[in-house]
Amino acid sequence: MSDVPRYPVPEDFKKKTLIDNERYKSMYDASINNPDEFWSEQARQFLTWQKPWTQVTRSDLRKGKVEWFIDGKLNVSVNCIDRHLPARANQVAIIWEGDNPAEDKHITYAELHREVNKLANALRARGVKKGDRVCIYMPMIPEATYAMLACTRIGAVHSIVFGGFSPDALKDRIQNAGCEVLITADEGLRGGKRVPLKKNADAALAHCPEVHTNIVVRRTGGDVVWNDAKDVWYHELVAQQAEFCEPEIVDAEDPLFILYTSGSTGKPKGVLHTTGGYLLQAAMTHKYVFDYQEGDVYWCTADVGWVTGHSYIVYGPLANGATTLMFEGVPTWPDASRCWQVVDKHKVNIFYTAPTAIRALMGAGDDWVTKTSRASLRVLGTVGEPINPEAWQWFYRVVGDNRCPIVDTWWQTETGAHMLAPLPGAIDLKPGSATVPFFGVEPVLVDAEGNEVQGAGEGNLCIKRAWPSQIRSVYGDHQRCIDTYYSTYPGYYFTGDGARRDEDGYYWITGRVDDVLNVSGHRMGTAEVESALVLHESVAEAAVVGYPHDIKGQGIYAYVTLMDGTEPDDNLKKELVALCVREIGAIAKPDVIQWAPGLPKTRSGKIMRRILRKIAANELDSLGDTTTLADPAVVDDLIANRHGR
Ligand code: 6R9
């Protein structure tokens, strides 16, 4: 791809960067050739341990076994707060920017310490102990961060459920993780609209008798139904608590959190992360990939309900004693200038967002951007899906004024932290490429036969050696962890993504190779949406695929076969969309529903999604081999009635 433009590291940037190209190379070599020494040094530099480890790692990818910093002991909240107090008590830890532009808060490390300790005491008073699971279903308010850190203070394991998920999705996750405590809010506020979190939580809790305590933050003051048996106001609960809570010192391999993510089946997986390795890699990547320097104001626009919020709003930045901005609202409200207004208001230096947001803002026009200063910006970042070069170039030219490197970070819920990304002072950029591996990461491309592709080429992206922030298990189902990540190509961690490597060794993610959709950077299994659709009494069968969507990256295209005798109409379409929203959440709304009298199947009855994807994408010339179809006429009908024809 020699025609791809290359963006060298700006000379000015090179002078002040933490890691230049030479340093990147020598550190990367050390991380691969002397990993024990490398990781020991990093672990000592980045974290404070109560007791050092006796062995750096004991991992075997053939068995799906991963362990780091064996026998090491530490506490996450101590690392993210207490140890910073001598130097940073009055430094702002969290800048909170409300949905309403007139509302913000600055929370210092001393205040963060007090709030987290009080909540930790409150949780203890409610019987929460080390290892217990606590569900967090909250808007983007500081209390969400307090809740996460309060869990870590006492060794409890949090499981955050994104506030956009439905009561059903919340119920499934509470039950799967066996949570006995929920922390939520009366309502969330996004783009001026209220989100009925307490009401959703009530609906979920009706099916979760094990949950004895529901702690409710008063965010909007909106009406809620109160259940004296388990509901308790957050402010009343913490008001009675002492301002210091003795931290529970845990093992490096004790669980830190569970976070559910979609796979190829209908049932989300509880990705389990542990303490030492996760925190180390979150902190290291936050510092090196964003070139975070003392005094920088850093803003990641993700929601804490996703892994990006975990690692790059909370754990990475706070472990580094940084100032992290937490934004309650949405990038397009009150108007498309909001992000840049916030950048100017709080003098943001590092801005990390998703391609879908960039595309939406690009579509709104340059004026929203150019009327702001953005002079404080130094580094830009993207995550969640491949970024198309047009959006990349717009981000670079218009938002970054051709000054700010863009770090395109490839990683996953399962990897815990960045895996492929350009260190901004070290690596020349190519729009659309997540470039090169982070320290200690050994990516390989594997062909269908399981052989490694050498040099430039394409294949399934796998990782050849264990890394500290790696998934440890699927909660309650270790076999599923092995089956999903370690059995396809024995000896490797399989990412589920396809990728290409160019002649410079740069990686280009081509997208998922399994039945996982990426809609606006959110992962969703096609099977999850299908399971929701077939709940409708009129639906006999459904097949869901992704198709290219200008803003969302991928849209949801559903082929639906109705029961005999059911007349298709627009009303039914509306019901089906509403069903997906009710079962999963608004992110699972199908963009297109096409009535399909039949679905293309092999003679053994397998749906041929490859063909459905081609029809949805309007790539009718390249349908591929259709000779194995049981009934080829089905395809002709689908093409004839394709959406948009
Ligand atoms: C962090 C996060 C993971 C999937 C991953 C891939 C896609 C993420 C990307 C990217 C291309 C990037 N993905 N970052 N694709 N370039 N920079 O998003 O985690 O929600 O688990 O999604 O997202 O397909 O496999 P998660």
Side-chain angles (χ1 to χ4, degrees), residues 126-182:
R126 287 265 157 174
V128 181
K129 313 176 298 300
K130 180 180 172 203
D132 290 352
R133 278 82 54 216
V134 173
C135 183
I136 299 175
Y137 181 64
M138 282 177 92
M140 287 287 288
I141 54 178
E143 287 83 354
T145 304
Y146 305 160
M148 294 165 79
L149 289 167
C151 287
T152 73
R153 186 92 184 160
I154 60 174
V157 180
H158 60 68
S159 166
I160 307 191
V161 177
F162 172 57
F165 275 125
S166 68
D168 252 6
L170 174 62
K171 173 204 74 184
D172 289 347
R173 286 156 178 77
I174 290 175
Q175 288 178 346
N176 184 274
C179 299
E180 294 184 8
V181 171
L182 175 67

